Amino acid sequence: MMRLKLSLLSLVFFFITACAGNPESTAALQCERGLETAYKELDFAKAKGLGGTMEYTKAASLLTAAKIQFEFGKYPNCIDKVKRARAYIRVSQQ
């Protein structure tokens, strides 16, 4: 029974790590699309004169970090950073 649990756990871990680096995975596409959308929102915020706000700066930093995560195949981390950046962009526009 213990061996079966360990085998299943190993299989799940292998599946998760294999998907994390797959550039064709759903997570990779979600990260890429999120980056595109967030950069458009960031550009729009800057055009509205919000480029100097603290929230704008935090969002820009998070998007830079998310892009690096994307390049290294760390898609869940990228998605998290994109979501946080988009939240900062929304706050900067209020």
Side-chain angles (χ1 to χ4, degrees):
M1 185 67 168
M2 183 66 152
R3 259 192 187 156
L4 178 62
K5 287 182 181 180
L6 285 174
S7 295
L8 287 174
L9 185 61
S10 297
L11 183 62
V12 168
F13 179 75
F14 175 76
F15 178 73
I16 290 171
T17 57
C19 287
N22 179 1
E24 301 299 320
S25 69
T26 303
L29 296 174
Q30 184 179 357
C31 173
E32 186 174 27
R33 289 184 186 132
L35 279 167
E36 290 171 4
T37 302
Y39 273 116
K40 286 178 185 175
E41 292 172 351
L42 194 66
D43 289 343
F44 182 71
K46 186 175 183 179
K48 287 176 58 176
L50 303 171
T53 66
M54 184 184 308
E55 288 81 11
Y56 177 92
T57 304
K58 289 179 183 179
S61 296
L62 280 168
L63 290 178
T64 299
K67 182 69 172 168
I68 293 169
Q69 296 290 302
F70 176 76
E71 296 297 326
F72 282 98
K74 305 294 184 188
Y75 306 121
N77 295 342
C78 171
I79 293 166
D80 176 61
K81 284 176 177 58
V82 167
K83 287 179 183 177
R84 291 172 32 212
R86 292 184 72 194
Y88 280 124
I89 293 168
R90 282 190 296 276
V91 170
S92 77
Q93 294 175 337
Q94 294 177 350

